Structure formats: C-alpha cells, structure tokens
C-alpha cells in the first residue's frame, strides 16, 4: 500500500451497546470499501472511556474532500446514535517510521 496523503480521525460516544455498534460497522463496511481513495479504515474503541473512533487513510486530498461531502459521512451520527457531534480531525502525513 502506498503511503497515505491524509489521515482522518473521527471520534464519538455512542448510545448503542457494543454488539449493536459492531452490527452497524458490518452493515456499512461495503460502502466504505467502495470509496475511491480510501486506502484503509481502522475501527477503534478507547479502552478507558469506551469512546469509538474511525481512523481513515486517504490517498489524496480530493478523495477525502469527496467523502466529507457524501451522504455516507453525513449519516455517521445517526447510524451510531452518537452522543453529541463526532469530533473530526484531519492530519497530513509528513513522514512514516517504516516504508
């Protein structure tokens, strides 16, 4: 896999129990697999707070911009029944440790 150009981190708390969160992940995964420019997505859970996160690796700024305007992105809060708005952070890849 080529090095990503951008990394997106989306964090949120969910009102859903863990098994329901996993069901949502599995149901939405094919839509994420179909996104052009999304190299990888990691589904995460903070062991202390129980907060969830999605870590997305994007090949180009244009791919991330297209996703940010998509219906798929717009439905995160509803799909996961987030408590408040998800926090969104975008990082530019500046240097990987390993090739």
């Amino acid at each position: 896999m080529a090095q990503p150009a951008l990394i997106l981190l989306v964090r949120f708390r969910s009102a859903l129990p863990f098994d329901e969160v996993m069901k949502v992940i599995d149901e939405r995964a094919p839509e994420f697999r179909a996104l052009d420019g999304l190299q990888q997505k990691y589904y995460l859970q903070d062991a202390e707070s129980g907060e969830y996160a999605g870590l997305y690796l994007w090949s180009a700024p244009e791919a991330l911009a297209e996703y940010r305007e998509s219906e798929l992105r717009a439905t995160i809060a509803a799909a996961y029944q987030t408590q408040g708005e998800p926090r969104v952070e975008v990082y530019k890849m500046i240097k990987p440790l390993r090739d």
Side-chain angles (χ1 to χ4, degrees):
M1 174 171 68
Q3 296 297 329
L6 294 170
I7 298 170
L8 172 68
L9 179 64
V10 178
R11 294 178 57 109
F12 58 88
R13 291 190 183 280
S14 176
L16 298 173
F18 180 78
D19 61 327
E20 289 296 317
V21 169
M22 292 304 296
K23 193 181 291 187
V24 172
I25 288 170
D26 291 340
E27 289 170 355
R28 292 169 60 93
E31 294 177 81
F32 283 100
R33 284 188 193 104
L35 291 174
D36 287 334
L38 179 59
Q39 295 173 300
Q40 182 59 277
K41 179 179 179 186
Y42 295 98
Y43 299 88
L44 310 170
Q45 185 183 34
D46 185 307
E48 280 190 35
S49 71
E51 189 173 55
Y52 295 95
L55 181 72
Y56 305 68
L57 306 181
W58 294 94
S59 62
E62 299 79 19
L64 173 57
E66 187 175 318
Y67 167 70
R68 291 185 85 175
E69 298 298 320
S70 73
E71 181 70 17
L72 184 59
R73 205 274 339 132
T75 58
I76 290 172
Y80 290 99
Q81 296 182 25
T82 64
Q83 298 171 332
E85 284 297 310
R87 290 190 312 277
V88 177
E89 301 171 8
V90 178
Y91 300 92
K92 179 181 173 185
M93 170 65 83
I94 58 172
K95 182 170 177 57
L97 174 65
R98 296 184 175 93
D99 292 332

